[in-house]
Amino acid sequence: MHNRNDYMVLEVPSLRENVALVRVTVAAFAARLPFTIAELEELKVAVSEAVTNAIVHAYPATTGCIRIEAVIIDGGVKVSVIDDGRGLVAAKSKITDEGEEQRTGMGFSFMESFTDDLSVTSPAQGGTAVHMIKRPARQREEHE
């Protein structure tokens, strides 16, 4: 079930100072559902990791646009973090070939741990979309 009338869209430049803005905005949007404070904190961490990845990997030498879409769906919130940067294939290639700073990869582990569903699309021509779904514990039990 997708409520097209209950969504938000936010576009920000890929600057580190915008990570806090995005995480708080998404948490405020999600707070309309019966999330606990701990669950909202988990969502904030997952969103922060996705936005930080876009800043660091999609636009390493320039400033680009990061689009955040959130929608109330199936008793939870779906958050998408979308960029038009160089994409995962190009980012991985550059890290391997040119010795760009290697990250620990813990960001995806946090996103997986703190959400109920995580998917990533990154076409070869560039851009990446990270889609995360988080449900309050009560809805998660009903959904299973």
Side-chain angles (χ1 to χ4, degrees):
M1 179 184 313
H2 178 194
N3 185 346
R4 295 183 191 275
N5 295 319
D6 206 355
Y7 69 92
M8 61 154 268
V9 176
L10 176 65
E11 288 186 352
V12 297
S14 60
L15 303 171
R16 290 185 187 272
E17 54 264 35
N18 286 329
V19 174
L21 169 67
V22 173
R23 69 185 269 144
V24 169
T25 303
V26 170
F29 177 78
R32 66 187 66 210
L33 297 173
F35 284 111
T36 64
I37 297 296
E39 290 170 330
L40 286 173
E41 287 300 318
E42 290 175 348
L43 180 61
K44 286 164 62 175
V45 169
V47 168
S48 294
E49 292 297 334
V51 172
T52 299
N53 281 346
I55 292 167
V56 171
H57 299 296
Y59 305 110
T62 187
T63 300
C65 181
I66 301 173
R67 180 180 174 95
I68 298 86
E69 300 174 356
V71 63
I72 303 300
I73 183 170
D74 295 332
V77 63
K78 178 181 179 181
V79 180
S80 298
V81 177
I82 305 158
D83 68 70
D84 293 321
R86 64 183 178 172
L88 290 177
V89 173
K92 287 180 183 176
S93 169
K94 186 161 177 66
I95 289 169
T96 303
D97 296 344
E98 299 179 19
E100 185 176 298
E101 181 182 348
Q102 180 77 35
R103 299 272 184 208
T104 62
M106 292 300 295
F108 275 100
S109 295
F110 286 131
M111 286 185 271
E112 284 179 324
S113 295
F114 293 155
T115 62
D116 297 305
D117 187 51
L118 172 69
S119 64
V120 180
T121 56
S122 187
Q125 63 269 25
T128 302
V130 176
H131 307 283
M132 301 170 279
I133 296 176
K134 176 90 173 158
R135 291 183 191 84
R138 289 185 296 209
Q139 265 70 8
R140 197 166 42 247
E141 292 164 4
E142 293 170 10
H143 195 277
E144 291 175 345

